[in-house]
Amino acid sequence: MNLRRSLLALFLVVPLVGLTLLTPQRASSAATAGDFLVTMSETAINQLGDKDTSQAQKEDQFRELVSEAFDIPRISKFILGVNWRSASEEQRKAFIAAFEESNMRRFLPFFEDYKGEKFVVLSERQDSNNDKVFFVSSKIDRPGSEPIEVEWRVYKKDGKYKILDAVVEGVSMALSLRQEYNSVIQQSGLDGLISQLEKSAGQPVQQ
């Protein structure tokens, strides 16, 4: 549940009032890391919440949002750890592609769970050891439930922001995936993990 919340928290929220809808590309170059998170959530709600949008269009839009919002290559490298260093270039490319596609299909259906959550940025600070990394504290206000606290780790490069991790109620998305995938690698090897991800990526999105 916590891992699912990590990925959904960016998208399944009501954006703050008064912001102009931005494309993913413009959101990536927002003024601050907090602005980036808010405008990305607004883009998601407006595009993917449109009932007139076909399922195929929603999949394409969500795939673009994930690609723009998350630094998939960096996350992949962290998740695989020592297995990344020993992997061939072909295995690395195959993992990144399968990882991105399988997670797009894994999380897209949960847009149906949207029930009026509100995303609020509480604070933002720069990493004292890396001036390109920012920590954004936020909360998700949920009608009738306790708010969810989320801290985002965001990286800025060439004027654009990318998400590296989301920590939801003390649980790191990146670390959770690292543990989950390492368990599969120990049993089936890296090729076995890639095969599993490719299989899930090839399955149709459940309505």
Side-chain angles (χ1 to χ4, degrees):
M1 176 65 71
N2 284 323
L3 174 58
R4 187 185 76 178
R5 285 178 178 176
S6 306
L7 292 178
L8 293 180
L10 173 63
F11 301 110
L12 298 186
V13 293
V14 174
L16 300 180
V17 176
L19 293 175
T20 303
L21 178 63
L22 301 182
T23 63
Q25 291 80 6
R26 289 183 63 190
S28 295
S29 56
T32 69
D35 291 338
F36 157 68
L37 294 172
V38 172
T39 52
M40 284 301 299
S41 71
E42 185 178 48
T43 300
I45 293 300
N46 279 271
Q47 290 184 347
L48 304 181
D50 187 349
K51 295 182 179 180
D52 294 328
T53 303
S54 69
Q55 184 64 25
Q57 289 175 316
K58 286 184 179 181
E59 291 180 26
D60 288 341
Q61 290 171 346
F62 189 61
R63 187 180 292 108
E64 181 182 4
L65 285 169
V66 169
S67 179
E68 286 291 334
F70 291 86
D71 192 331
I72 300 298
R74 282 179 177 269
I75 295 172
S76 298
K77 184 176 181 179
F78 174 80
I79 289 173
L80 291 185
V82 296
N83 297 290
W84 177 271
R85 293 195 290 273
S86 61
S88 66
E89 188 62 28
E90 182 179 354
Q91 286 176 315
R92 291 175 179 178
K93 290 180 179 179
F95 174 79
I96 290 173
F99 170 63
E100 185 170 15
E101 185 69 14
S102 66
N103 278 284
M104 183 280 292
R105 293 181 175 276
R106 181 181 182 182
F107 292 104
L108 178 58
F110 291 108
F111 277 98
E112 296 177 356
D113 286 347
Y114 174 69
K115 297 181 177 65
E117 292 88 348
K118 182 178 181 180
F119 180 67
V120 180
V121 172
L122 302 175
S123 65
E124 179 178 337
R125 62 184 175 85
Q126 193 173 48
D127 188 341
S128 59
N129 296 316
N130 189 338
D131 60 8
K132 295 182 179 180
V133 175
F134 301 85
F135 297 96
V136 180
S137 296
S138 67
K139 68 175 180 177
I140 313 299
D141 285 331
R142 303 177 298 164
S145 301
E146 291 295 318
I148 301 173
E149 294 185 359
V150 186
E151 181 172 78
W152 305 90
R153 184 165 173 255
V154 180
Y155 179 77
K156 186 177 184 181
K157 182 179 180 181
D158 299 329
K160 293 185 177 182
Y161 292 100
K162 293 277 189 177
I163 295 168
L164 298 177
D165 195 12
V167 179
V168 180
E169 298 174 344
V171 178
S172 163
M173 175 193 74
L175 284 175
S176 295
L177 286 173
R178 184 169 183 164
Q179 294 168 358
E180 177 184 333
Y181 289 173
N182 186 60
S183 178
V184 177
I185 291 174
Q186 289 179 348
Q187 296 179 10
S188 307
L190 179 55
D191 286 335
L193 170 62
I194 293 172
S195 178
Q196 287 190 26
L197 292 174
E198 288 177 339
K199 183 177 180 181
S200 64
Q203 296 175 349
V205 175
Q206 298 298 315
Q207 299 293 316

